[in-house]
Amino acid sequence: MLSFIRLVLGAIFIIFTTLFALVYCLFSPRDPKHVYFFCRWFNQLHKIIGLEVIQRGKGNVTDVKNGVYISNHQNIFDFVTSPGMLEPRTVSIGKKSLLWIPFFGQLYWITGNILIDRENKSKARNTIQQVAEAIHKRNLSVWMYPEGTRSKGRGLLPFKTGAFRMAIEAGVPIIPMCVSSTHDKISLNRRDNGIVIAEMLEPIDVSQYDMQDARMLADHCHALMQNKITELDAEVEQLELERMQVEAKSS
C-alpha cells in the first residue's frame, strides 16, 4: 500500500511539474536557468520515498565559474539523490532516447538540457566541440555520467572519455560528485529507507592535460571517486547503525 501511495504521489509530482514547466518555459524556452530551478523541486522527492539525503562539499565549487561535473550513475533513484547538488547554470547531457519518456523526457528537453546521439560517433565528436564552445559563449557548466549507463549494483563502471575530452577542449575543471550506494537500499514499501550521502569533491585542474591524456584523466577521476564512494558507504553504515541504537534505546 505504501508503495502504491508513493508511486501515485511521484506520478502526480512529475506530471504537474512537466505541465507547469511547459507553460513556464514558453517565456524563455531552453534557458539553462530552468534546470537549476526545477532541480530544486526534484530535490524534495527524497521526502516522498523516506530517504534522508546528506548533501555536502558544495563549498568546493564556490569559485568555479564553469566546469564539467561528473557523477556516478546507479539507478533511477539518481533523480532523487543528485538534483540538490546541481549548481546554477548547469545543464546535464543525456542520450536522445530520454526524449521519449512520457512527461519526464519533455521536461528534460524544454528546461534546457542537452540530448546527444551516442550511437553516432562522428556526431559525438562534433558535440564535444559544440558543448565546449557553449560552455563559454552561454556561460554554462555541464553535468555528465561518465559511466555512460546505470551501474545497477555492479560498482563504479569504467569511465568513457567524453566528459574529460569536453573539459580539456573547454579548458574548464572537472568536478567529481559522489553518491553513496543505493543499490537494493530503497524499497518503496519501507517507511524509512535510511541515509544517502552526496558529496562534491574538489575541482580537478585539466590545464596540464591534452586530448591524448583523456583516458589518463578519466582513470584518475575514477580512482578518486571509487575511493570516496567506499568511504561514504562506510560512513552511511556507521550512521545507520548509530540511528538504530538510538531508536532501540528509546523504544
Side-chain angles (χ1 to χ4, degrees):
M1 184 61 180
L2 181 57
S3 175
F4 175 76
I5 293 172
R6 282 172 166 162
L7 287 172
V8 169
L9 289 175
I12 292 173
F13 174 88
I14 292 174
I15 293 172
F16 173 80
T17 301
T18 302
L19 294 176
F20 177 80
L22 290 173
V23 176
Y24 180 84
C25 294
L26 284 177
F27 297 96
S28 52
R30 299 190 51 73
D31 189 316
K33 69 181 181 181
H34 299 322
V35 180
Y36 178 78
F37 177 76
F38 285 102
C39 273
R40 303 279 71 72
W41 290 29
F42 275 85
N43 188 42
Q44 304 306 311
L45 280 174
H46 68 92
K47 298 176 183 177
I48 293 178
I49 66 172
L51 187 68
E52 179 184 350
V53 179
I54 299 173
Q55 300 171 345
R56 65 193 187 198
K58 296 186 74 173
N60 288 331
V61 295
T62 302
D63 298 325
V64 175
K65 181 181 179 182
N66 308 111
V68 174
Y69 293 84
I70 57 173
S71 180
N72 50 321
H73 196 16
Q74 302 185 69
N75 48 49
I76 193 171
F77 292 110
D78 292 342
F79 296 114
V80 176
T81 59
S82 298
M85 300 299 288
L86 188 130
E87 291 291 295
R89 298 198 66 79
T90 301
V91 300
S92 67
I93 297 181
K95 51 190 177 182
K96 274 190 172 181
S97 58
L98 287 175
L99 184 61
W100 306 110
I101 299 177
F103 296 102
F104 177 79
Q106 295 74 53
L107 174 65
Y108 188 89
W109 179 81
I110 200 168
T111 50
N113 292 295
I114 299 171
L115 295 167
I116 62 174
D117 184 359
R118 287 180 178 162
E119 302 302 320
N120 190 317
K121 300 300 182 183
S122 60
K123 282 187 177 180
R125 285 192 290 271
N126 188 43
T127 297
I128 288 175
Q129 295 175 342
Q130 290 179 358
V131 174
E133 292 175 1
I135 285 174
H136 296 294
K137 289 182 179 178
R138 300 178 58 201
N139 187 26
L140 296 177
S141 291
V142 296
W143 181 290
M144 297 185 70
Y145 294 109
E147 294 163 278
T149 188
R150 290 176 286 185
S151 58
K152 298 180 180 179
R154 292 172 289 173
L156 190 65
L157 301 179
F159 285 173
K160 300 180 184 300
T161 60
F164 307 95
R165 293 178 181 276
M166 200 171 289
I168 293 170
E169 178 80 18
V172 297
I174 288 278
I175 305 102
M177 200 287 288
C178 300
V179 180
S180 60
S181 300
T182 58
H183 180 68
D184 285 343
K185 178 183 180 67
I186 301 170
S187 170
L188 295 181
N189 275 317
R190 188 164 53 231
R191 183 184 63 82
D192 184 354
N193 280 300
I195 300 170
V196 166
I197 301 175
E199 181 169 340
M200 198 85 75
L201 306 189
E202 293 185 2
I204 298 171
D205 182 13
V206 303
S207 61
Q208 302 304 312
Y209 296 89
D210 57 34
M211 284 297 185
Q212 294 180 340
D213 299 325
R215 169 48 57 193
M216 181 171 61
L217 177 59
D219 291 343
H220 172 62
C221 292
H222 188 281
L224 287 176
M225 291 179 65
Q226 182 65 75
N227 290 337
K228 174 54 67 173
I229 293 167
T230 300
E231 291 177 11
L232 295 180
D233 287 347
E235 183 178 353
V236 166
E237 185 177 359
Q238 181 61 34
L239 289 173
E240 292 183 338
L241 177 60
E242 292 173 359
R243 175 189 282 184
M244 290 175 58
Q245 291 173 340
V246 170
E247 291 175 350
K249 289 180 181 179
S250 62
S251 62

